[in-house]
Amino acid sequence: MTDSGKQRALQAVDSLDTIDQTNIVAGLKKGAKVIEDRAHKNPVCGIMLLSDGQDNCNNESNLKDSLRLQIPVHTFGFGADHDSDMLHSIAVGSKGAFSFIEDVGIIQDAFAQCIGGLLSVAVQDVQVHIQSLDPNICLSQLKAGDYSTDLAGDKKTGSVDIGDMYADEERDFLVLVNIPVVADGNSSDHMKLVSVRCAYKNPFTKESVSTEAVEVKLRRPEMVANEDMVVSIEVDRQKNRLQAAEAMRNSRAAAERGDLPRARSILSGCAMQMADTVSMRARDQFTFGLASDLEGVQQRMQTPAMYASSGRAQLCAGMSSHSTQKAVFGCASAAPAFGGASAFGGASAFASACAAPAFGSVFGSASAAPAPAYQTSYMRNMVQQSRESRPNSNFGNPTTHTK
């Protein structure tokens, strides 16, 4: 922007007047119009929406209209009086992410993390396609959190609609398949289960790309040794993640009905189930982080006032993060990130959907410290730059962490 352009922008901001209204939908539509009408259209765009109040100008119908935007909207709820339900719905509906900004000191860092992601978009309109490779094998269920899934009527094919992915990101989902019993004398070393392929758009060339299908096979020996009867920690980890997200969703529903004891019970029950899993017994740090998130939310649901001021927002941030594997601010823990390896076992099959290719270094070398869950090196470096720009400032409430 030129000096004269900067001056005009400042004058436009200074000319704004406030009235006693919060019109989230109007602000969102204005942002979408700016993107639509811009003279120079870069290949990647997004909207960052920060609100500290309740929308008092729109009804549910207007909100549904705003959710039809084909632009990722990353929402940030600030303070104790923002409408976390609306902001979370906007983020989920547009394939964005919701962050809870409890302390003013971390607003800049939250924006920096989001910008670090937007500047490293590697692929767009990602879809993962799964197909059965055996006439006797059906896809019984696709578990992909908040991502849209489609399962054909004959249960032979399915797909997951992921949207954009940043460099270094991964998306994991569970594929449950029905595996037939092998008749005596018909066993083989390997049985073909499904094939997995990925389709996406290159954001710079606009070219549509479809990867070669990868076949997933299962060993079917006549006898299985005890040492081979093990549960994949990676599969178990993803099961825990999706169960934690579902528990948060059910807990919020109970809390909105005014039943806080039931809401806390749902979270504690999920944590107890998780405590007996293979990944927890293996002291998996990601699973410990999930348990910490569940405990942190419970602490903010002791009274209706606590739930209204921060519990609801933290639940929404947790659901947004764990249902989509996206880095957000506002969760209770800062668990190290783990990627997904392709692994299948028993009747429950796990597929690592795809891993976005790495960009060249844009922001410098990454920190040696463990990254918060789902946070990429590009996000981490941008947050570090944000903090270095204000070395004498307080980085926010010490109980508020990045997720």
Side-chain angles (χ1 to χ4, degrees), residues 185-201:
N186 292 329
S187 63
S188 59
D189 289 340
H190 292 89
M191 179 181 192
K192 292 184 178 181
L193 294 181
V194 299
S195 66
V196 182
R197 67 178 180 87
C198 181
Y200 62 90
K201 183 177 70 176

Side-chain angles (χ1 to χ4, degrees), residues 217-294:
K217 301 177 182 179
L218 179 69
R219 290 177 55 201
R220 302 300 301 270
E222 293 186 7
M223 300 292 295
V224 180
N226 289 334
E227 58 267 23
D228 292 332
M229 298 178 65
V230 296
V231 175
S232 166
I233 289 183
E234 184 59 46
V235 174
D236 193 59
R237 181 185 294 145
Q238 299 306 325
K239 288 175 63 178
N240 287 335
R241 174 180 65 83
L242 292 171
Q243 287 172 357
E246 184 65 20
M248 291 179 182
R249 184 176 292 105
N250 293 335
S251 176
R252 184 178 71 155
E256 295 301 321
R257 296 193 302 267
D259 192 351
L260 287 180
R262 174 59 181 162
R264 294 193 298 269
S265 175
I266 292 172
L267 296 176
S268 62
C270 180
M272 290 179 63
Q273 287 183 335
M274 198 179 298
D276 195 39
T277 61
V278 171
S279 53
M280 185 65 85
R281 291 197 297 270
R283 306 188 66 80
D284 176 64
Q285 291 301 305
F286 179 83
T287 306
F288 272 110
L290 291 174
S292 177
D293 280 349
L294 295 171

Side-chain angles (χ1 to χ4, degrees), residues 82-90 252 256 307 312 316:
H82 71 274
D83 192 338
S84 56
D85 284 335
M86 174 179 276
L87 295 178
H88 177 257
S89 295
I90 291 172
R252 184 178 71 155
E256 295 301 321
Y307 176 72
R312 178 186 290 113
C316 288

Side-chain angles (χ1 to χ4, degrees), residues 168-170 172 234 237-238 286 325 336-341 350 352:
D168 294 343
E169 277 194 319
E170 294 188 1
D172 304 301
E234 184 59 46
R237 181 185 294 145
Q238 299 306 325
F286 179 83
Q325 291 180 286
F338 287 85
F350 165 80
S352 178

Side-chain angles (χ1 to χ4, degrees), residues 75-316:
T75 59
F76 303 82
F78 173 61
D81 192 42
H82 71 274
D83 192 338
S84 56
D85 284 335
M86 174 179 276
L87 295 178
H88 177 257
S89 295
I90 291 172
V92 171
S94 65
K95 298 179 182 177
F98 167 74
S99 291
F100 172 36
I101 310 301
E102 188 172 13
D103 187 278
V104 67
I106 64 171
I107 289 180
Q108 180 175 310
D109 292 346
F111 280 10
Q113 176 173 275
C114 184
I115 292 172
L118 291 172
L119 290 177
S120 61
V121 171
V123 288
Q124 293 180 307
D125 301 332
V126 179
Q127 285 193 331
V128 177
H129 300 272
I130 310 100
Q131 181 174 355
S132 169
L133 296 179
D134 188 291
N136 297 315
I137 290 180
C138 294
L139 312 178
S140 60
Q141 194 174 357
L142 299 178
K143 293 188 175 183
D146 279 340
Y147 294 110
S148 299
T149 62
D150 181 52
L151 192 58
D154 61 2
K155 296 190 175 182
K156 295 297 183 181
T157 61
S159 63
V160 182
D161 185 8
I162 295 174
D164 296 354
M165 289 183 65
Y166 305 145
D168 294 343
E169 277 194 319
E170 294 188 1
R171 296 289 182 263
D172 304 301
F173 57 94
L174 295 173
V175 182
L176 276 64
V177 298
N178 296 320
I179 300 177
V181 175
V182 177
D184 293 341
N186 292 329
S187 63
S188 59
D189 289 340
H190 292 89
M191 179 181 192
K192 292 184 178 181
L193 294 181
V194 299
S195 66
V196 182
R197 67 178 180 87
C198 181
Y200 62 90
K201 183 177 70 176
N202 185 311
F204 306 104
T205 66
K206 300 298 183 181
E207 177 188 7
S208 295
V209 180
S210 182
T211 65
E212 291 188 11
V214 176
E215 293 184 351
V216 180
K217 301 177 182 179
L218 179 69
R219 290 177 55 201
R220 302 300 301 270
E222 293 186 7
M223 300 292 295
V224 180
N226 289 334
E227 58 267 23
D228 292 332
M229 298 178 65
V230 296
V231 175
S232 166
I233 289 183
E234 184 59 46
V235 174
D236 193 59
R237 181 185 294 145
Q238 299 306 325
K239 288 175 63 178
N240 287 335
R241 174 180 65 83
L242 292 171
Q243 287 172 357
E246 184 65 20
M248 291 179 182
R249 184 176 292 105
N250 293 335
S251 176
R252 184 178 71 155
E256 295 301 321
R257 296 193 302 267
D259 192 351
L260 287 180
R262 174 59 181 162
R264 294 193 298 269
S265 175
I266 292 172
L267 296 176
S268 62
C270 180
M272 290 179 63
Q273 287 183 335
M274 198 179 298
D276 195 39
T277 61
V278 171
S279 53
M280 185 65 85
R281 291 197 297 270
R283 306 188 66 80
D284 176 64
Q285 291 301 305
F286 179 83
T287 306
F288 272 110
L290 291 174
S292 177
D293 280 349
L294 295 171
E295 173 63 24
V297 174
Q298 286 184 68
Q299 295 301 320
R300 294 173 184 253
M301 303 178 75
Q302 300 302 312
T303 67
M306 290 178 65
Y307 176 72
S309 65
S310 63
R312 178 186 290 113
Q314 191 165 324
L315 265 177
C316 288

Side-chain angles (χ1 to χ4, degrees), residues 23 25 28-29 55 57-68 86:
N23 195 332
V25 173
L28 186 57
K29 289 183 177 179
D55 190 312
C57 299
N58 296 279
N59 54 32
E60 186 174 348
S61 176
N62 291 340
L63 173 60
K64 289 182 179 179
D65 289 340
S66 70
L67 295 180
R68 295 172 184 168
M86 174 179 276

